[in-house]
Amino acid sequence: MRLRALLETDALGLKLLGGEDELDRTVRGVMTTDLRDPSRYLSGGELVLTGLAWRRDAGDSEPFVRILVQAGVTALAAGEAELGDVPEDLVAACARHRLPLLAVHESVAFATITEHVVRQVSGERAGDLAAVVDRHRRMMTSGPAGGGPDVVLDLLGSDLDLRAWVLSPTGRLIAGSKTAGAALPAEVCARLAGEHLTATRSGRRGPHRVVLGATTYSLFPVRSTGRPPQPARDVRESALSDWLLAVEADAGDWAEERLDLLHGVTQLIAVERDRRDAARTVRRRLAQEVLELVQAGAAPGEIAARLRVAAPVLLPGLGAAPHWQVVVARVDWDGEESEAGPVAQALLEEILVDPASAGPDPSDRIAVAHTGEEAIALVPLPAVTAEHDGPGAGVLADALLESVRDPLAAGLDGDGRLTLGVSAAVHSAEGLRGALEEARHARRVAAARPGRVCAAGHQELASHVLLLPFVPDDVRRAFTARLLDPLRDYDRRHRAELIPTLEAFLDCDGSWTRCATRLHLHVNTLRYRVGRIEQLTGRDLSRLEDKLDFFLALRMS
């Protein structure tokens, strides 16, 4: 039972004196003692009841508490019958060692508390053992066949009082039990997914324990059923596509029977995952056929015919898709030549789901094919999007990056990279070949940037941003040093602000008044600073060419 439940039992008359952040600890037993060193009678997880007869002076509290903590005691409950209020030195010692401390009212007998704990703990253990087989049967018959992961999680909540959620590797909420209450916040989902990927890459076996704030979670990997043992590289790739089961509990306190039950739950969820992956086969085949036609230079009429077949499958009930986008993804491992197309395909199918959507099925409108080294998504845009959102409608590179960067960066940390490129929307089969090339070129722009997860969109291909990543590093350094080093040196020696002044001046399009207002300067002071910039660099900020050079130098620095 949880310590919180014990504290909330009014009949026990317990008062919390310290340890508010530790109330989710599990109580596995109870022991009454007044020995100065009861460690030989402790096995861990106990609620220790004491009348404080061991305490002769204030110096006794610290060693007593230290012994309990080293033995793995869950909490200490001190009686008020002997000394009245619990001594402050004991309160302080428990606070230092993060051991929850309870006060037992003098009207409550230790025997009452002992009987309550023993009854609750024994009942839970007996219930777990007696119901394991029945729960397995119910889950196998009612889970994947009717209701999906939600049914399994509901059984965990109703039978074992466990709040649990299924998450994707990007941190998207796929399922949660009705008893879990409100859905996990998006930032918590992302943190849990990132922690899971980090732990999996380290080679640690699940479940993985994660503490966020005052809440402890245990993370169980949901691996494809029947997957054979894999080499190290394949393990890290599969981690990027596997779901995970997050349980609000510390599985380190569980008996083997309960751990076995949770591992069985992950297998049931894995069956459901495999079933849904199999359902993607038609969409993947459609994408592959269209891609092969586009890359082979087939006639637009032939491509259009395949799109007419694909549209009703991807947009059921809407007939045709007037606009399409292409998204390209690639996973690379440092220093390795690998054909990571399948893992890029699984990632892209997940990434292209709206991060605000929940459930396993929102990817039904996405068709993703893969070559040996990259994945290519064909994204249909319904008419309402194209009409009301304008030419920038559909998938946006920045939004993709924001929704998945943090958790996937944890999964790729050390030796992997994911790069994404997004095309503009096209309205005909004739435009698909250009859209594919545009998406591939945008992905190359993203690949030239630092970071484990990078994306670029078609908007950047008509800007100087397209050119900057391909300027050789030595040329970048020489160009920026020639223009900016004199200003940096001057700022360092004189504690001036020539670089920020230059940035603001260019950002204000050379307007003296607007720039002075932004920097909270008098216009004459601004003119002095700009004159100093021109003197140190030999440039003239009234000339367009010199303004452009400074602008590019700042962007490349």
Side-chain angles (χ1 to χ4, degrees):
M1 65 179 301
R2 293 187 184 183
L3 186 59
R4 184 186 305 278
L6 193 63
L7 187 65
E8 292 172 350
T9 304
D10 295 335
L12 300 181
L14 298 173
K15 181 173 64 174
L16 183 67
L17 300 182
E20 293 85 351
D21 296 337
E22 308 294 332
L23 294 182
D24 285 325
R25 290 188 179 188
T26 301
V27 178
R28 295 203 297 263
V30 62
M31 190 191 83
T32 300
T33 184
D34 277 315
L35 295 174
R36 297 170 67 86
D37 181 2
S39 58
R40 61 184 179 275
Y41 302 112
L42 297 170
S43 58
E46 294 94 350
L47 170 69
V48 171
L49 303 172
T50 180
L52 301 176
W54 50 266
R55 180 184 178 277
R56 298 190 183 95
D57 56 50
D60 291 336
S61 292
E62 173 67 25
F64 181 78
V65 171
R66 185 167 58 248
I67 288 170
L68 298 186
V69 171
Q70 290 172 350
V73 165
T74 293
L76 173 65
E80 296 178 336
E82 189 72 24
L83 301 178
D85 292 339
V86 176
E88 285 298 324
D89 49 274
L90 182 58
V91 175
C94 288
R96 279 193 297 273
H97 291 279
R98 299 179 64 85
L99 180 67
L101 176 62
L102 310 175
V104 182
H105 194 269
E106 61 181 5
S107 63
V108 179
F110 284 177
T112 301
I113 299 174
T114 300
E115 181 183 353
H116 178 83
V117 172
V118 170
R119 186 171 59 250
Q120 293 295 320
V121 172
S122 298
E124 286 186 3
R125 289 174 179 168
D128 276 357
L129 294 173
V132 165
V133 174
D134 182 58
R135 290 189 189 106
H136 271 290
R137 179 188 58 77
R138 290 164 59 193
M139 290 174 183
M140 288 299 294
T141 57
S142 63
D150 299 274
V151 173
V152 179
L153 300 186
D154 285 341
L155 288 173
L156 282 181
S158 62
D159 288 4
L160 295 182
D161 192 27
L162 290 177
R163 290 156 49 90
W165 301 266
V166 177
L167 305 176
S168 77
T170 64
R172 184 173 65 87
L173 181 64
I174 293 171
S177 63
K178 295 183 179 66
T179 56
L184 284 179
E187 59 272 16
V188 173
C189 292
R191 282 283 306 279
L192 292 177
E195 294 284 351
H196 172 72
L197 289 171
T198 299
T200 302
R201 281 182 55 87
S202 71
R204 287 189 282 132
R205 295 184 61 186
H208 308 122
R209 182 177 182 271
V210 176
V211 180
L212 300 182
T215 306
T216 300
Y217 299 91
S218 295
L219 309 180
F220 295 79
V222 178
R223 296 196 170 95
S224 178
T225 56
R227 177 181 292 162
Q230 298 169 311
R233 192 192 73 201
D234 289 338
V235 168
R236 69 191 179 192
E237 288 183 354
S238 65
L240 291 171
S241 56
D242 286 340
W243 290 351
L244 67 130
L245 175 67
V247 180
E248 188 180 311
D250 187 350
D253 295 333
W254 290 356
E256 287 298 322
E257 291 83 359
R258 181 172 285 208
L259 279 174
D260 288 344
L261 177 60
L262 264 293
H263 286 303
V265 168
T266 65
Q267 293 171 4
L268 293 170
I269 296 172
V271 171
E272 178 69 5
R273 173 68 190 270
D274 291 345
R275 187 182 69 81
R276 294 178 189 277
D277 279 347
R280 290 176 173 172
T281 303
V282 173
R283 298 192 299 278
R284 288 174 172 175
R285 186 171 65 247
L286 286 171
Q288 194 73 42
E289 291 174 355
V290 173
L291 175 63
E292 290 173 357
L293 289 174
V294 169
Q295 294 190 126
E302 189 176 358
I303 298 174
R306 296 307 304 161
L307 290 178
R308 283 194 294 272
V309 173
V313 176
L314 302 178
L315 293 174
L318 297 180
H323 290 74
W324 298 84
Q325 271 183 291
V326 175
V327 182
V328 174
R330 176 166 170 161
V331 173
D332 293 288
W333 304 105
D334 295 349
E336 295 183 21
E337 294 291 333
S338 64
E339 294 189 353
V343 69
Q345 180 183 47
L347 274 177
L348 200 49
E349 286 172 334
E350 172 59 39
I351 289 169
L352 289 174
V353 177
D354 181 355
S357 64
D361 290 325
S363 59
D364 283 350
R365 296 185 175 186
I366 301 163
V368 185
H370 75 83
T371 61
E373 57 187 20
E374 68 180 6
I376 301 165
L378 194 61
V379 182
L381 304 179
V384 63
T385 302
E387 290 173 4
H388 294 286
D389 292 349
V395 179
L396 299 177
D398 289 346
L400 284 186
L401 191 60
E402 184 65 25
S403 65
V404 303
R405 175 171 45 205
D406 290 344
L408 290 186
L412 294 160
D413 187 35
D415 59 355
R417 293 197 75 206
L418 169 67
T419 50
L420 301 159
V422 183
S423 79
V426 296
H427 66 277
S428 66
E430 290 89 338
L432 274 183
R433 183 175 181 82
L436 176 58
E437 291 305 314
E438 189 174 59
R440 281 175 166 161
H441 199 62
R443 193 207 62 78
R444 288 193 289 271
V445 170
R449 296 172 175 168
R452 290 293 170 188
V453 183
C454 299
H458 61 91
Q459 302 94 331
E460 302 178 49
L461 302 186
S463 163
H464 66 278
V465 177
L466 171 64
L467 303 176
L468 296 185
F470 300 102
V471 176
D473 288 343
D474 54 344
V475 176
R476 281 171 176 258
R477 287 191 292 269
F479 183 74
T480 57
R482 190 176 299 117
L483 280 174
L484 301 183
D485 279 3
L487 306 183
R488 293 186 178 121
D489 292 341
Y490 187 88
D491 282 348
R492 191 162 45 248
R493 289 197 310 271
H494 300 280
R495 296 184 179 179
E497 295 184 347
L498 297 186
I499 291 289
T501 300
L502 176 61
E503 291 174 331
F505 187 72
L506 295 176
D507 196 40
C508 292
D509 298 324
S511 169
W512 297 98
T513 303
R514 281 196 290 127
C515 185
T517 301
R518 174 181 293 191
L519 296 175
H520 305 290
L521 298 174
H522 192 279
V523 172
N524 289 341
T525 304
L526 176 62
R527 290 185 184 278
Y528 171 80
R529 289 187 183 180
V530 170
R532 178 64 67 184
I533 292 171
E534 293 175 335
Q535 180 185 7
L536 292 170
T537 60
R539 298 300 185 103
D540 182 356
L541 277 167
S542 66
R543 299 179 66 246
L544 176 61
E545 293 87 345
D546 288 342
K547 287 181 182 177
L548 180 59
D549 283 347
F550 277 122
F551 176 80
L552 293 174
L554 289 169
R555 282 299 182 95
M556 288 191 293
S557 64

